[in-house]
Amino acid sequence: MKSLIAAAFLILITYSFTACKSSSADGPNTFCDTACLTDTIKFKGDNKLEPVVYITSKDCKADSIIWSYNGMGTFRKTSFDDLIGRSANINKDFIRCYFNNADIAWIMYNDCETERGFQIKLPYDKSQNVSPKGSGINNIDPKFSIADNLVVHTDSGNLFIEDMSTGKKATMTFGEALDLDYSALHTVIDSVNITNTRAWAKVLIGKEWKVIEKNITLE
């Protein structure tokens, strides 16, 4: 009898852990796992000054961003609370860092709880401010095809495209403002395909899905 009780208890414990791990299935359909983030995420650029970006964790979520380079003499630091009002639910396999020499680093990630895309511009020059955006369209999402040197965000009426290596920009308008929830982009922006010369998007305008495309010039 004791062995039966022990076996039943073991099954109950196993089910409890499985249920906890799979709880995100009851929320939004996400493309990245909301597993606990425990290790520091580290990025290093290939510039001779060896710029670095570190993302530290606390209570299973991303907590702070630290960045510097050899000879900078200090580390810059900011918290996700200061940038977006809360810590970030990040999966280390669904985050990108793009280095523009040792001048600027861009962090691009999608929050695994909400799928919302974020982009954070990190200047190494201490006189320049950090610039976060919470309306990112990132190629981390498999339905968003975007050239690796480009960063793209929306204001619900336009796509804003920037070459991270040069700062040159282009815009494509949807023609009207979309009823857009940044935490559920795919309900209105199904997919995009953006290169350095052309922008394409499938969007919901009214009750009809439409394809909008445009040749672009980054300038």
Side-chain angles (χ1 to χ4, degrees), residues 11-174:
I11 291 171
L12 179 61
I13 291 295
T14 303
Y15 173 78
S16 297
F17 277 107
T18 303
C20 179
K21 183 177 180 181
S22 304
S23 63
S24 61
D26 296 329
N29 294 321
T30 62
F31 56 81
C32 60
D33 184 7
T34 57
C36 178
L37 180 67
T38 56
D39 297 328
T40 296
I41 300 173
K42 303 175 183 179
F43 297 102
K44 182 178 179 180
D46 56 9
N47 183 271
K48 64 181 180 181
L49 295 178
E50 299 182 347
V52 293
V53 173
Y54 301 129
I55 296 176
T56 63
S57 63
K58 180 181 179 181
D59 298 330
C60 286
K61 295 186 178 183
D63 177 63
S64 296
I65 306 175
I66 302 168
W67 67 107
S68 187
Y69 61 76
N70 286 343
M72 184 171 162
T74 187
F75 285 88
R76 296 196 69 181
K77 181 178 180 179
T78 188
S79 71
F80 283 92
D81 274 337
D82 290 338
L83 292 174
I84 65 173
R86 59 182 177 82
S87 55
N89 198 324
I90 292 177
N91 183 313
K92 64 181 179 62
D93 296 323
F94 293 88
I95 181 172
R96 289 184 59 215
C97 182
Y98 183 97
F99 290 93
N100 182 359
N101 299 315
D103 299 321
I104 294 171
W106 288 84
I107 292 291
M108 290 154 282
Y109 71 92
N110 283 62
D111 187 281
C112 288
E113 268 181 330
T114 65
E115 293 191 9
R116 185 169 184 171
F118 290 89
Q119 300 159 349
I120 303 172
K121 185 178 181 180
L122 304 169
Y124 286 88
D125 185 340
K126 295 187 288 294
S127 67
Q128 298 179 27
N129 294 327
V130 177
S131 301
K133 288 185 175 65
S135 57
I137 296 178
N138 299 326
N139 64 3
I140 296 165
D141 187 319
K143 297 200 75 175
F144 295 152
S145 176
I146 300 168
D148 284 341
N149 65 303
L150 300 179
V151 62
V152 180
H153 73 279
T154 181
D155 66 352
S156 79
N158 307 274
L159 290 183
F160 298 99
I161 304 159
E162 181 175 348
D163 184 342
M164 292 180 285
S165 66
T166 65
K168 293 183 177 181
K169 301 176 182 180
T171 303
M172 183 177 78
T173 182
F174 298 137

Side-chain angles (χ1 to χ4, degrees), residues 170-184:
T171 303
M172 183 177 78
T173 182
F174 298 137
E176 61 180 88
L178 307 179
D179 184 13
L180 188 60
D181 178 353
Y182 294 126
S183 295

